[in-house]
Amino acid sequence: MTGTKDSDEIPSAGTSTSQDAADEAKKVSSELYGLIGIKGEASNTGPGVKECGNKDPEKYFQIFHPWSLTPASADQLGGVMERLKEELPKHGWKVVDYGPDTSKNKNLNLTADNDKKRHSVNIVHRAKAKPPHLSLMVVSGCYQVPDGQKVDRF
């Protein structure tokens, strides 16, 4: 699911309306929340619709769902990324990138693809943020709207 910006690199996620695809992205995010296994405050950010590479924007789209999780105590984030690196593959996710980013804070990043769910996730442990938290970006594959329908952008 990850790759270059070339539209040929974005796998198909099938046929769906924008709203049904957004509901699916929320479901994937909920499952990820459960796998993180930390209670805390999750942001209430809704999914959005974006163009799918160079494909016809009237017929094709991707869903993105950014959200964050701030635990009651920063201590709860200790070891969570390492645990996710081990746990995600047991639930159909393939970890494709793991390690510190190039930022000044060297935030720990994990990117994983789930071919069955046709979604990818990037999780960033923002340990030096105030307050420390996890930032997640769930992105779908490339959907095509059903015949006779248009992409509903939100």
Side-chain angles (χ1 to χ4, degrees):
M1 297 259 332
T2 56
T4 65
K5 297 218 181 271
D6 183 2
S7 64
D8 292 338
E9 294 287 333
I10 303 170
S12 170
T15 302
S16 180
T17 64
S18 303
Q19 190 58 57
D20 287 347
D23 290 346
E24 184 63 26
K26 285 193 251 183
K27 188 175 157 190
V28 169
S29 289
S30 291
E31 291 170 8
L32 288 165
Y33 177 83
L35 289 174
I36 291 168
I38 296 174
K39 297 297 181 210
E41 186 178 334
S43 63
N44 193 19
T45 319
V49 178
K50 68 178 190 166
E51 292 183 4
C52 192
N54 297 327
K55 294 187 177 202
D56 182 349
E58 299 296 316
K59 294 181 181 179
Y60 297 93
F61 66 95
Q62 281 183 281
I63 297 292
F64 65 96
H65 186 210
W67 59 282
S68 63
L69 176 63
T70 305
S73 166
D75 298 347
Q76 293 176 287
L77 292 175
V80 71
M81 296 294 278
E82 294 81 3
R83 191 173 51 72
L84 284 170
K85 184 181 173 194
E86 298 298 318
E87 285 297 313
L88 286 171
K90 298 175 187 172
H91 297 273
W93 294 88
K94 178 183 177 193
V95 175
V96 294
D97 191 37
Y98 182 81
D101 64 18
T102 58
S103 74
K104 175 177 80 168
N105 292 337
K106 302 284 187 225
N107 297 312
L108 192 53
N109 272 261
L110 183 152
T111 302
D113 296 339
N114 190 315
D115 291 339
K116 185 177 178 193
K117 294 183 186 300
R118 298 179 175 135
H119 281 77
S120 290
V121 64
N122 175 253
I123 305 171
V124 182
H125 180 190
R126 300 193 186 280
K128 295 183 179 171
K130 302 280 187 238
H133 63 277
L134 298 178
S135 292
L136 293 91
M137 175 64 78
V138 175
V139 180
S140 75
C142 192
Y143 285 102
Q144 181 174 355
V145 291
D147 287 342
Q149 296 201 30
K150 294 190 313 187
V151 175
D152 183 20
R153 302 207 179 272
F154 47 84

PDB file of all heavy atoms in Angstrom, residues 101-130:
ATOM      1  N   ASP A 101      12.425   8.846  12.847  1.00  0.00           N
ATOM      2  CA  ASP A 101      12.312   9.711  11.674  1.00  0.00           C
ATOM      3  C   ASP A 101      13.490  10.680  11.645  1.00  0.00           C
ATOM      4  O   ASP A 101      14.393  10.609  12.481  1.00  0.00           O
ATOM      5  CB  ASP A 101      10.953  10.414  11.622  1.00  0.00           C
ATOM      6  CG  ASP A 101      10.720  11.380  12.787  1.00  0.00           C
ATOM      7  OD1 ASP A 101      11.696  11.778  13.457  1.00  0.00           O
ATOM      8  OD2 ASP A 101       9.556  11.733  13.013  1.00  0.00           O
ATOM      9  N   THR A 102      13.482  11.591  10.700  1.00  0.00           N
ATOM     10  CA  THR A 102      14.605  12.514  10.535  1.00  0.00           C
ATOM     11  C   THR A 102      14.396  13.822  11.293  1.00  0.00           C
ATOM     12  O   THR A 102      15.192  14.743  11.156  1.00  0.00           O
ATOM     13  CB  THR A 102      14.823  12.818   9.043  1.00  0.00           C
ATOM     14  OG1 THR A 102      13.617  13.359   8.506  1.00  0.00           O
ATOM     15  CG2 THR A 102      15.218  11.570   8.279  1.00  0.00           C
ATOM     16  N   SER A 103      13.325  13.916  12.083  1.00  0.00           N
ATOM     17  CA  SER A 103      13.070  15.139  12.829  1.00  0.00           C
ATOM     18  C   SER A 103      14.093  15.310  13.950  1.00  0.00           C
ATOM     19  O   SER A 103      14.802  14.373  14.324  1.00  0.00           O
ATOM     20  CB  SER A 103      11.657  15.117  13.427  1.00  0.00           C
ATOM     21  OG  SER A 103      11.616  14.234  14.534  1.00  0.00           O
ATOM     22  N   LYS A 104      14.136  16.505  14.495  1.00  0.00           N
ATOM     23  CA  LYS A 104      15.031  16.813  15.608  1.00  0.00           C
ATOM     24  C   LYS A 104      14.764  15.883  16.794  1.00  0.00           C
ATOM     25  O   LYS A 104      15.682  15.485  17.508  1.00  0.00           O
ATOM     26  CB  LYS A 104      14.807  18.282  16.001  1.00  0.00           C
ATOM     27  CG  LYS A 104      15.563  18.752  17.205  1.00  0.00           C
ATOM     28  CD  LYS A 104      15.332  20.229  17.450  1.00  0.00           C
ATOM     29  CE  LYS A 104      14.002  20.410  18.153  1.00  0.00           C
ATOM     30  NZ  LYS A 104      13.797  21.747  18.680  1.00  0.00           N
ATOM     31  N   ASN A 105      13.496  15.513  16.985  1.00  0.00           N
ATOM     32  CA  ASN A 105      13.115  14.661  18.115  1.00  0.00           C
ATOM     33  C   ASN A 105      13.334  13.174  17.860  1.00  0.00           C
ATOM     34  O   ASN A 105      13.170  12.366  18.767  1.00  0.00           O
ATOM     35  CB  ASN A 105      11.651  14.899  18.496  1.00  0.00           C
ATOM     36  CG  ASN A 105      11.442  16.267  19.088  1.00  0.00           C
ATOM     37  OD1 ASN A 105      12.370  16.880  19.598  1.00  0.00           O
ATOM     38  ND2 ASN A 105      10.221  16.758  19.011  1.00  0.00           N
ATOM     39  N   LYS A 106      13.647  12.812  16.620  1.00  0.00           N
ATOM     40  CA  LYS A 106      13.847  11.396  16.266  1.00  0.00           C
ATOM     41  C   LYS A 106      12.651  10.544  16.708  1.00  0.00           C
ATOM     42  O   LYS A 106      12.794   9.506  17.354  1.00  0.00           O
ATOM     43  CB  LYS A 106      15.141  10.843  16.885  1.00  0.00           C
ATOM     44  CG  LYS A 106      16.387  11.593  16.483  1.00  0.00           C
ATOM     45  CD  LYS A 106      16.792  11.231  15.091  1.00  0.00           C
ATOM     46  CE  LYS A 106      18.135  11.854  14.736  1.00  0.00           C
ATOM     47  NZ  LYS A 106      18.131  12.444  13.426  1.00  0.00           N
ATOM     48  N   ASN A 107      11.442  11.008  16.353  1.00  0.00           N
ATOM     49  CA  ASN A 107      10.220  10.272  16.699  1.00  0.00           C
ATOM     50  C   ASN A 107      10.257   8.867  16.106  1.00  0.00           C
ATOM     51  O   ASN A 107      10.639   8.692  14.951  1.00  0.00           O
ATOM     52  CB  ASN A 107       8.979  10.994  16.147  1.00  0.00           C
ATOM     53  CG  ASN A 107       8.795  12.366  16.742  1.00  0.00           C
ATOM     54  OD1 ASN A 107       8.860  12.537  17.952  1.00  0.00           O
ATOM     55  ND2 ASN A 107       8.565  13.349  15.892  1.00  0.00           N
ATOM     56  N   LEU A 108       9.837   7.892  16.882  1.00  0.00           N
ATOM     57  CA  LEU A 108       9.792   6.519  16.406  1.00  0.00           C
ATOM     58  C   LEU A 108       8.564   6.345  15.514  1.00  0.00           C
ATOM     59  O   LEU A 108       7.445   6.696  15.903  1.00  0.00           O
ATOM     60  CB  LEU A 108       9.743   5.553  17.592  1.00  0.00           C
ATOM     61  CG  LEU A 108       9.976   4.077  17.282  1.00  0.00           C
ATOM     62  CD1 LEU A 108      11.266   3.849  16.512  1.00  0.00           C
ATOM     63  CD2 LEU A 108      10.008   3.279  18.586  1.00  0.00           C
ATOM     64  N   ASN A 109       8.778   5.849  14.299  1.00  0.00           N
ATOM     65  CA  ASN A 109       7.724   5.660  13.289  1.00  0.00           C
ATOM     66  C   ASN A 109       7.545   4.196  12.966  1.00  0.00           C
ATOM     67  O   ASN A 109       8.522   3.451  12.902  1.00  0.00           O
ATOM     68  CB  ASN A 109       8.140   6.347  11.981  1.00  0.00           C
ATOM     69  CG  ASN A 109       7.737   7.782  11.903  1.00  0.00           C
ATOM     70  OD1 ASN A 109       6.742   8.096  11.290  1.00  0.00           O
ATOM     71  ND2 ASN A 109       8.515   8.660  12.518  1.00  0.00           N
ATOM     72  N   LEU A 110       6.303   3.814  12.726  1.00  0.00           N
ATOM     73  CA  LEU A 110       5.988   2.459  12.267  1.00  0.00           C
ATOM     74  C   LEU A 110       4.973   2.599  11.138  1.00  0.00           C
ATOM     75  O   LEU A 110       3.968   3.301  11.295  1.00  0.00           O
ATOM     76  CB  LEU A 110       5.389   1.647  13.417  1.00  0.00           C
ATOM     77  CG  LEU A 110       5.056   0.184  13.127  1.00  0.00           C
ATOM     78  CD1 LEU A 110       5.142  -0.620  14.420  1.00  0.00           C
ATOM     79  CD2 LEU A 110       3.678   0.010  12.530  1.00  0.00           C
ATOM     80  N   THR A 111       5.255   1.973  10.010  1.00  0.00           N
ATOM     81  CA  THR A 111       4.307   1.941   8.896  1.00  0.00           C
ATOM     82  C   THR A 111       3.991   0.479   8.604  1.00  0.00           C
ATOM     83  O   THR A 111       4.898  -0.351   8.530  1.00  0.00           O
ATOM     84  CB  THR A 111       4.891   2.626   7.644  1.00  0.00           C
ATOM     85  OG1 THR A 111       5.230   3.975   7.971  1.00  0.00           O
ATOM     86  CG2 THR A 111       3.887   2.620   6.495  1.00  0.00           C
ATOM     87  N   ALA A 112       2.700   0.191   8.474  1.00  0.00           N
ATOM     88  CA  ALA A 112       2.270  -1.184   8.215  1.00  0.00           C
ATOM     89  C   ALA A 112       1.147  -1.190   7.191  1.00  0.00           C
ATOM     90  O   ALA A 112       0.332  -0.270   7.137  1.00  0.00           O
ATOM     91  CB  ALA A 112       1.811  -1.847   9.519  1.00  0.00           C
ATOM     92  N   ASP A 113       1.121  -2.239   6.396  1.00  0.00           N
ATOM     93  CA  ASP A 113       0.088  -2.446   5.379  1.00  0.00           C
ATOM     94  C   ASP A 113      -0.743  -3.663   5.744  1.00  0.00           C
ATOM     95  O   ASP A 113      -0.210  -4.648   6.253  1.00  0.00           O
ATOM     96  CB  ASP A 113       0.719  -2.726   4.009  1.00  0.00           C
ATOM     97  CG  ASP A 113       1.529  -1.566   3.470  1.00  0.00           C
ATOM     98  OD1 ASP A 113       1.314  -0.429   3.922  1.00  0.00           O
ATOM     99  OD2 ASP A 113       2.379  -1.801   2.582  1.00  0.00           O
ATOM    100  N   ASN A 114      -2.031  -3.581   5.446  1.00  0.00           N
ATOM    101  CA  ASN A 114      -2.910  -4.734   5.619  1.00  0.00           C
ATOM    102  C   ASN A 114      -3.603  -4.974   4.282  1.00  0.00           C
ATOM    103  O   ASN A 114      -4.558  -4.268   3.929  1.00  0.00           O
ATOM    104  CB  ASN A 114      -3.928  -4.490   6.734  1.00  0.00           C
ATOM    105  CG  ASN A 114      -4.688  -5.739   7.096  1.00  0.00           C
ATOM    106  OD1 ASN A 114      -5.146  -6.466   6.226  1.00  0.00           O
ATOM    107  ND2 ASN A 114      -4.836  -5.981   8.387  1.00  0.00           N
ATOM    108  N   ASP A 115      -3.089  -5.936   3.513  1.00  0.00           N
ATOM    109  CA  ASP A 115      -3.621  -6.187   2.175  1.00  0.00           C
ATOM    110  C   ASP A 115      -5.063  -6.663   2.207  1.00  0.00           C
ATOM    111  O   ASP A 115      -5.854  -6.326   1.326  1.00  0.00           O
ATOM    112  CB  ASP A 115      -2.745  -7.191   1.426  1.00  0.00           C
ATOM    113  CG  ASP A 115      -1.375  -6.613   1.074  1.00  0.00           C
ATOM    114  OD1 ASP A 115      -1.245  -5.370   1.037  1.00  0.00           O
ATOM    115  OD2 ASP A 115      -0.446  -7.399   0.846  1.00  0.00           O
ATOM    116  N   LYS A 116      -5.437  -7.435   3.219  1.00  0.00           N
ATOM    117  CA  LYS A 116      -6.812  -7.922   3.309  1.00  0.00           C
ATOM    118  C   LYS A 116      -7.786  -6.766   3.567  1.00  0.00           C
ATOM    119  O   LYS A 116      -8.847  -6.698   2.962  1.00  0.00           O
ATOM    120  CB  LYS A 116      -6.923  -8.967   4.422  1.00  0.00           C
ATOM    121  CG  LYS A 116      -8.280  -9.613   4.506  1.00  0.00           C
ATOM    122  CD  LYS A 116      -8.311 -10.701   5.569  1.00  0.00           C
ATOM    123  CE  LYS A 116      -9.705 -11.292   5.668  1.00  0.00           C
ATOM    124  NZ  LYS A 116      -9.855 -12.107   6.875  1.00  0.00           N
ATOM    125  N   LYS A 117      -7.401  -5.858   4.447  1.00  0.00           N
ATOM    126  CA  LYS A 117      -8.257  -4.709   4.755  1.00  0.00           C
ATOM    127  C   LYS A 117      -8.069  -3.570   3.756  1.00  0.00           C
ATOM    128  O   LYS A 117      -8.823  -2.605   3.759  1.00  0.00           O
ATOM    129  CB  LYS A 117      -7.967  -4.193   6.169  1.00  0.00           C
ATOM    130  CG  LYS A 117      -8.350  -5.179   7.253  1.00  0.00           C
ATOM    131  CD  LYS A 117      -8.116  -4.574   8.628  1.00  0.00           C
ATOM    132  CE  LYS A 117      -8.336  -5.575   9.735  1.00  0.00           C
ATOM    133  NZ  LYS A 117      -9.658  -6.129   9.804  1.00  0.00           N
ATOM    134  N   ARG A 118      -7.027  -3.667   2.937  1.00  0.00           N
ATOM    135  CA  ARG A 118      -6.714  -2.661   1.922  1.00  0.00           C
ATOM    136  C   ARG A 118      -6.483  -1.285   2.545  1.00  0.00           C
ATOM    137  O   ARG A 118      -6.974  -0.264   2.052  1.00  0.00           O
ATOM    138  CB  ARG A 118      -7.796  -2.612   0.850  1.00  0.00           C
ATOM    139  CG  ARG A 118      -7.912  -3.933   0.094  1.00  0.00           C
ATOM    140  CD  ARG A 118      -8.993  -3.851  -0.940  1.00  0.00           C
ATOM    141  NE  ARG A 118      -9.016  -5.068  -1.723  1.00  0.00           N
ATOM    142  CZ  ARG A 118     -10.124  -5.711  -2.033  1.00  0.00           C
ATOM    143  NH1 ARG A 118     -11.290  -5.270  -1.621  1.00  0.00           N
ATOM    144  NH2 ARG A 118     -10.078  -6.797  -2.758  1.00  0.00           N
ATOM    145  N   HIS A 119      -5.750  -1.285   3.647  1.00  0.00           N
ATOM    146  CA  HIS A 119      -5.405  -0.055   4.344  1.00  0.00           C
ATOM    147  C   HIS A 119      -3.949  -0.100   4.800  1.00  0.00           C
ATOM    148  O   HIS A 119      -3.393  -1.174   4.989  1.00  0.00           O
ATOM    149  CB  HIS A 119      -6.301   0.151   5.576  1.00  0.00           C
ATOM    150  CG  HIS A 119      -7.655   0.672   5.252  1.00  0.00           C
ATOM    151  ND1 HIS A 119      -8.651  -0.124   4.742  1.00  0.00           N
ATOM    152  CD2 HIS A 119      -8.184   1.913   5.367  1.00  0.00           C
ATOM    153  CE1 HIS A 119      -9.737   0.604   4.550  1.00  0.00           C
ATOM    154  NE2 HIS A 119      -9.484   1.846   4.925  1.00  0.00           N
ATOM    155  N   SER A 120      -3.388   1.077   4.981  1.00  0.00           N
ATOM    156  CA  SER A 120      -2.069   1.238   5.570  1.00  0.00           C
ATOM    157  C   SER A 120      -2.209   2.145   6.782  1.00  0.00           C
ATOM    158  O   SER A 120      -3.150   2.935   6.874  1.00  0.00           O
ATOM    159  CB  SER A 120      -1.102   1.906   4.586  1.00  0.00           C
ATOM    160  OG  SER A 120      -0.780   1.040   3.540  1.00  0.00           O
ATOM    161  N   VAL A 121      -1.242   2.034   7.687  1.00  0.00           N
ATOM    162  CA  VAL A 121      -1.218   2.934   8.834  1.00  0.00           C
ATOM    163  C   VAL A 121       0.208   3.387   9.079  1.00  0.00           C
ATOM    164  O   VAL A 121       1.153   2.621   8.893  1.00  0.00           O
ATOM    165  CB  VAL A 121      -1.804   2.276  10.110  1.00  0.00           C
ATOM    166  CG1 VAL A 121      -0.963   1.090  10.579  1.00  0.00           C
ATOM    167  CG2 VAL A 121      -1.971   3.311  11.225  1.00  0.00           C
ATOM    168  N   ASN A 122       0.342   4.650   9.454  1.00  0.00           N
ATOM    169  CA  ASN A 122       1.610   5.179   9.932  1.00  0.00           C
ATOM    170  C   ASN A 122       1.355   5.636  11.367  1.00  0.00           C
ATOM    171  O   ASN A 122       0.430   6.409  11.621  1.00  0.00           O
ATOM    172  CB  ASN A 122       2.096   6.342   9.070  1.00  0.00           C
ATOM    173  CG  ASN A 122       3.361   6.965   9.638  1.00  0.00           C
ATOM    174  OD1 ASN A 122       3.324   8.061  10.177  1.00  0.00           O
ATOM    175  ND2 ASN A 122       4.476   6.259   9.536  1.00  0.00           N
ATOM    176  N   ILE A 123       2.157   5.109  12.291  1.00  0.00           N
ATOM    177  CA  ILE A 123       2.030   5.454  13.706  1.00  0.00           C
ATOM    178  C   ILE A 123       3.329   6.130  14.132  1.00  0.00           C
ATOM    179  O   ILE A 123       4.413   5.610  13.884  1.00  0.00           O
ATOM    180  CB  ILE A 123       1.793   4.202  14.570  1.00  0.00           C
ATOM    181  CG1 ILE A 123       0.574   3.424  14.065  1.00  0.00           C
ATOM    182  CG2 ILE A 123       1.622   4.596  16.046  1.00  0.00           C
ATOM    183  CD1 ILE A 123       0.394   2.053  14.719  1.00  0.00           C
ATOM    184  N   VAL A 124       3.195   7.291  14.750  1.00  0.00           N
ATOM    185  CA  VAL A 124       4.352   8.044  15.215  1.00  0.00           C
ATOM    186  C   VAL A 124       4.240   8.228  16.718  1.00  0.00           C
ATOM    187  O   VAL A 124       3.229   8.725  17.216  1.00  0.00           O
ATOM    188  CB  VAL A 124       4.445   9.428  14.527  1.00  0.00           C
ATOM    189  CG1 VAL A 124       5.696  10.177  15.001  1.00  0.00           C
ATOM    190  CG2 VAL A 124       4.443   9.297  13.013  1.00  0.00           C
ATOM    191  N   HIS A 125       5.288   7.819  17.437  1.00  0.00           N
ATOM    192  CA  HIS A 125       5.359   8.028  18.886  1.00  0.00           C
ATOM    193  C   HIS A 125       6.016   9.380  19.108  1.00  0.00           C
ATOM    194  O   HIS A 125       7.215   9.531  18.905  1.00  0.00           O
ATOM    195  CB  HIS A 125       6.162   6.909  19.540  1.00  0.00           C
ATOM    196  CG  HIS A 125       6.283   7.056  21.021  1.00  0.00           C
ATOM    197  ND1 HIS A 125       7.128   6.284  21.758  1.00  0.00           N
ATOM    198  CD2 HIS A 125       5.683   7.881  21.910  1.00  0.00           C
ATOM    199  CE1 HIS A 125       7.045   6.620  23.042  1.00  0.00           C
ATOM    200  NE2 HIS A 125       6.179   7.597  23.149  1.00  0.00           N
ATOM    201  N   ARG A 126       5.233  10.336  19.509  1.00  0.00           N
ATOM    202  CA  ARG A 126       5.737  11.691  19.756  1.00  0.00           C
ATOM    203  C   ARG A 126       6.072  11.820  21.244  1.00  0.00           C
ATOM    204  O   ARG A 126       5.337  12.426  22.013  1.00  0.00           O
ATOM    205  CB  ARG A 126       4.722  12.724  19.293  1.00  0.00           C
ATOM    206  CG  ARG A 126       4.430  12.588  17.796  1.00  0.00           C
ATOM    207  CD  ARG A 126       3.689  13.762  17.222  1.00  0.00           C
ATOM    208  NE  ARG A 126       3.322  13.535  15.841  1.00  0.00           N
ATOM    209  CZ  ARG A 126       4.130  13.680  14.800  1.00  0.00           C
ATOM    210  NH1 ARG A 126       5.379  14.032  14.970  1.00  0.00           N
ATOM    211  NH2 ARG A 126       3.695  13.463  13.581  1.00  0.00           N
ATOM    212  N   ALA A 127       7.206  11.217  21.609  1.00  0.00           N
ATOM    213  CA  ALA A 127       7.608  11.111  23.013  1.00  0.00           C
ATOM    214  C   ALA A 127       7.955  12.462  23.628  1.00  0.00           C
ATOM    215  O   ALA A 127       7.777  12.650  24.830  1.00  0.00           O
ATOM    216  CB  ALA A 127       8.805  10.163  23.138  1.00  0.00           C
ATOM    217  N   LYS A 128       8.439  13.408  22.807  1.00  0.00           N
ATOM    218  CA  LYS A 128       8.864  14.692  23.359  1.00  0.00           C
ATOM    219  C   LYS A 128       7.811  15.776  23.210  1.00  0.00           C
ATOM    220  O   LYS A 128       8.029  16.921  23.589  1.00  0.00           O
ATOM    221  CB  LYS A 128      10.179  15.117  22.710  1.00  0.00           C
ATOM    222  CG  LYS A 128      11.314  14.153  23.064  1.00  0.00           C
ATOM    223  CD  LYS A 128      12.631  14.580  22.491  1.00  0.00           C
ATOM    224  CE  LYS A 128      13.698  13.563  22.913  1.00  0.00           C
ATOM    225  NZ  LYS A 128      14.961  13.780  22.241  1.00  0.00           N
ATOM    226  N   ALA A 129       6.656  15.419  22.681  1.00  0.00           N
ATOM    227  CA  ALA A 129       5.567  16.390  22.565  1.00  0.00           C
ATOM    228  C   ALA A 129       4.999  16.662  23.951  1.00  0.00           C
ATOM    229  O   ALA A 129       5.189  15.897  24.883  1.00  0.00           O
ATOM    230  CB  ALA A 129       4.482  15.849  21.639  1.00  0.00           C
ATOM    231  N   LYS A 130       4.290  17.754  24.078  1.00  0.00           N
ATOM    232  CA  LYS A 130       3.620  18.086  25.338  1.00  0.00           C
ATOM    233  C   LYS A 130       2.125  18.081  25.090  1.00  0.00           C
ATOM    234  O   LYS A 130       1.622  18.994  24.470  1.00  0.00           O
ATOM    235  CB  LYS A 130       4.064  19.469  25.829  1.00  0.00           C
ATOM    236  CG  LYS A 130       5.543  19.607  26.032  1.00  0.00           C
ATOM    237  CD  LYS A 130       5.987  19.011  27.340  1.00  0.00           C
ATOM    238  CE  LYS A 130       7.442  19.323  27.597  1.00  0.00           C
ATOM    239  NZ  LYS A 130       8.298  18.215  27.768  1.00  0.00           N
TER     240      LYS A 130
END
